[in-house]
Amino acid sequence: MKRYRDKKTDQLGDALCRQLDQELRRPDLTDEELFSFAEFDASAAERGGYSNYSYWSATVRAFLRDKVAVFFLVLMVALLAFTFIQPFLPGQMDPLTIHYDESGRVLQNLSPGEEGFLFGTNEIGQDIWARIWSGTRTSLLIGFVVACVEAVVGIFMGVLWGYVRKLDFLFTELYNVLDNIPQTLLLILFSYILMPGVDTIIFALCLTGWLGMARFIRNQVVIIRDRDYNLASRCLGTSIRSIVFRNLLPYLVSVITMRMALAIPSAIGNEVFVTYIGIGLPVNIPALGNLIDTGRRLMMIPALRYQLYFPVAVLALITISFYVIGNAFADAADPKNHVN
């Protein structure tokens, strides 16, 4: 069957060649009819070579096609905006103030909506509504600072680790030593040694938190460092700084974004865990960890379980939103998804 198809193809080709030869041998054809010069149009050439492709515009368009991610992004922006403007709204109470009634009795464990307290009060008469938003600001501050430090240190160390071959052994041994120290143990140790506070939590989380980012960036750099365009850049004498910032890091935008988005809820979760075991932030610093720990102790009292539900709902909303947004943006930042 194959030989039959090849034979038919050869016959068709021979027929076309004979027809073309007959046309060229016609005596009535002149050189002007056989050949003509094509006119050059500079504006048409510019239009043909023009492309309005923009990496970030294509990334945004790809992200906006994900309706679920857009919904969580709007929800997250609204939550962040309200968290920071909440103290300036009228009728807001101080999160540390203990409230009393006219007779001097502490307004403790009021139900949501009672006596004008939207989320009720805790066991010492503090407004849970104000404490939740104050605690959310504290936890978000910890999460953003830790994520930024992990990104800066992790990317810098990871690029050096992966691109400079002479440093590979040194960084590998450093990673093996530090990675074998449990982060939870460091959190507990520094919480006992240093004064409990936001600075202590951030320092303990950042001490080894960059290791995962550095290892991940190193593996990605090793994959792409010897590709043709990087070899050509080195042969042309391009500086290492230009190769890193123009050839390597733009290729890793999607994975870096995803790692940073997941680092924020991870840092908040670690803060909640440390406070949950009793060695985190002091009670005079509202945080989601403190609020969840307080609600945990009241779980066996059905009428007071709302003190656990509210902070857990806010924490879950933040964690899920960052996870969905980070994954969707990582997919959108991949140039392979920009073809449409």
Side-chain angles (χ1 to χ4, degrees), residues 319-337:
T319 303
I320 294 172
S321 297
F322 273 115
Y323 179 80
V324 173
I325 294 170
N327 280 279
F329 190 82
D331 292 337
D334 188 347
K336 293 192 294 291
N337 296 327

Side-chain angles (χ1 to χ4, degrees), residues 175-186:
Y175 175 83
N176 291 335
V177 171
L178 295 180
D179 190 55
N180 286 313
I181 303 175
Q183 190 179 47
T184 304
L185 182 62
L186 286 177

Side-chain angles (χ1 to χ4, degrees), residues 26 84 93 107 111 113 146 167 171-172 177 194 197 246 262 311 335 340:
R26 285 173 52 189
F84 288 99
M93 302 180 185
L107 297 175
S111 301
V146 171
L167 297 177
F171 278 105
T172 301
V177 171
L194 304 177
R246 295 186 179 183
L262 298 182
N340 294 329

Side-chain angles (χ1 to χ4, degrees), residues 214-233:
R215 174 77 176 184
F216 184 77
I217 296 298
R218 181 258 180 191
N219 293 338
Q220 298 297 317
V221 170
V222 167
I223 293 173
I224 65 175
R225 70 183 178 189
D226 292 328
R227 291 187 176 176
D228 293 342
Y229 56 90
N230 288 321
L231 292 176
S233 297

Side-chain angles (χ1 to χ4, degrees), residues 238-275:
T238 306
S239 64
I240 294 178
R241 179 176 176 274
S242 297
I243 293 176
V244 168
F245 284 98
R246 295 186 179 183
N247 293 6
L248 300 181
L249 290 184
Y251 182 85
L252 305 176
V253 168
S254 61
V255 293
I256 291 174
T257 304
M258 182 180 67
R259 299 282 298 194
M260 284 192 65
L262 298 182
I264 295 173
S266 176
I268 296 175
N270 285 327
E271 177 267 321
V272 171
F273 168 74
V274 174
T275 307

